[in-house]
């Protein structure tokens, strides 16, 4: 069974600085998707970024980018120029659209932004 | 475009009562799932569906029932509520081609 591990329960960063959240996963498949979701205090789950395993290029969305290391089964999220609105729980997730359609989540990392 | 709509947002039940959490999506997504979120445990899958008429169990299915009679709707039934089912429940949907789950706003359920 697939597992997703987030080893940093909490992280903090100064406003305007850069922070990296870690995620590792375990799978025997070669074709899959990885995601980062953000959950602010409002409780809403927001898709931040998506990476398809067959794509070697790391995904980016504005200030958010990933470092996808397929061989190492590592998928970290880098947030540049951190803003107060980035404060949230961040969840890493794994899924496959054909064969394992459901998502498997890590336990999350709580990110605090220090003004 | 409403996305994924969950009702109710809050609910208090007495032990032994039954209820249905509603979930509807208007994106014509094939995949739908129910998760529960408990402190320190991330999101755990309860049941999921890959299309109308098809459902399967997730990681924590006991005490819950689902059906998927239409593409749009995926209700979650609590058969006999227990305090251990106190949690936040999320419904989510995804397309098969444009794969990436969209979540509803959640239901906070308290069983007393």
């Amino acid at each position: 069974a697939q597992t997703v591990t987030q080893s940093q329960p909490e992280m903090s960063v100064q406003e305007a600085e850069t922070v990296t959240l870690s995620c590792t996963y375990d799978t025997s498949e070669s074709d899959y998707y990885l995601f980062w979701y953000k959950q602010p205090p409002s409780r809403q789950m927001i898709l931040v970024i998506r990476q398809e395993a067959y794509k070697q290029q790391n995904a980016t969305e504005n200030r958010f980018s990933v470092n996808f290391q397929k061989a190492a089964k590592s998928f970290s999220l880098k947030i540049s120029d951190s803003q107060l609105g980035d404060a949230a729980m961040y969840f890493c997730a794994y899924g496959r659209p054909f064969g394992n359609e459901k998502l498997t989540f890590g336990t999350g990392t709580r990110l605090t932004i220090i003004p | 475009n409403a996305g994924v709509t969950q009702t109710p947002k809050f609910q208090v039940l007495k032990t032994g009562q039954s209820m249905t959490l509603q979930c509807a999506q208007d994106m014509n997504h094939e995949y739908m799932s129910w998760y529960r979120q408990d402190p320190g445990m991330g999101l755990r899958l309860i049941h999921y569906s890959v299309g109308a008429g098809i459902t399967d169990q997730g990681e924590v299915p006991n005490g819950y029932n689902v059906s998927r009679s239409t593409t749009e709707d995926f209700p979650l039934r609590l058969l006999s509520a227990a305090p251990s089912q106190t949690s936040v429940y999320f419904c989510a949907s995804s397309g098969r081609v444009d794969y990436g789950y969209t979540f509803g706003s959640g239901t906070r359920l308290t069983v007393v």
Side-chain angles (χ1 to χ4, degrees):
Chain A
Q2 288 76 22
T3 58
V4 177
T5 302
Q6 293 179 250
S7 59
Q8 306 155 314
E10 297 183 351
M11 294 278 287
S12 61
V13 63
Q14 294 276 354
E15 193 176 2
E17 296 296 310
T18 296
V19 64
T20 299
L21 308 183
S22 301
C23 173
T24 59
Y25 59 95
D26 185 27
T27 183
S28 58
E29 305 293 340
S30 59
D31 187 18
Y32 49 87
Y33 286 66
L34 296 164
F35 304 88
W36 279 99
Y37 281 87
K38 172 185 178 181
Q39 187 179 41
S42 66
R43 195 175 72 193
Q44 181 69 46
M45 292 287 289
I46 302 164
L47 178 60
V48 174
I49 203 163
R50 176 177 68 180
Q51 176 77 44
E52 299 167 62
Y54 71 88
K55 291 186 177 178
Q56 297 199 353
Q57 185 173 5
N58 289 325
T60 62
E61 288 288 343
N62 300 314
R63 297 182 296 106
F64 297 86
S65 61
V66 298
N67 184 4
F68 173 48
Q69 301 290 326
K70 191 173 183 179
K73 296 180 182 176
S74 171
F75 183 61
S76 60
L77 175 70
K78 185 173 80 171
I79 306 174
S80 304
D81 186 24
S82 297
Q83 301 176 359
L84 294 177
D86 295 334
M89 283 289 290
Y90 286 82
F91 292 96
C92 179
Y94 165 101
R96 298 178 64 222
F98 301 97
N100 187 33
E101 299 81 2
K102 54 195 182 294
L103 290 182
T104 300
F105 284 86
T107 51
T109 297
R110 181 174 302 280
L111 178 64
T112 301
I113 310 297
I114 303 167
Chain B
N1 192 346
V4 179
T5 302
Q6 281 185 246
T7 56
K9 294 190 183 308
F10 301 93
Q11 183 71 47
V12 179
L13 286 179
K14 294 183 178 179
T15 298
Q17 285 185 320
S18 63
M19 79 159 295
T20 300
L21 305 185
Q22 301 291 344
C23 177
Q25 53 94 5
D26 62 359
M27 297 172 283
N28 202 32
H29 283 167
E30 295 89 345
Y31 305 151
M32 296 188 76
S33 299
W34 276 103
Y35 292 87
R36 60 177 288 172
Q37 184 178 24
D38 302 295
M41 301 189 73
L43 282 83
R44 293 183 294 168
L45 183 69
I46 304 171
H47 286 285
Y48 68 102
S49 170
V50 298
I54 305 170
T55 63
D56 206 346
Q57 295 181 353
E59 181 184 356
V60 288
N62 292 339
Y64 307 95
N65 202 358
V66 293
S67 61
R68 183 121 179 250
S69 57
T70 66
T71 299
E72 294 78 19
D73 299 300
F74 192 44
L76 178 71
R77 299 180 190 83
L78 279 70
L79 307 174
S80 177
S84 61
Q85 294 179 303
T86 294
S87 188
V88 177
Y89 291 84
F90 286 97
C91 178
S93 74
S94 173
R96 179 183 302 147
V97 174
D98 184 19
Y99 182 67
Y101 276 83
T102 299
F103 281 77
S105 57
T107 297
R108 180 176 292 280
L109 176 68
T110 302
V111 182
V112 297

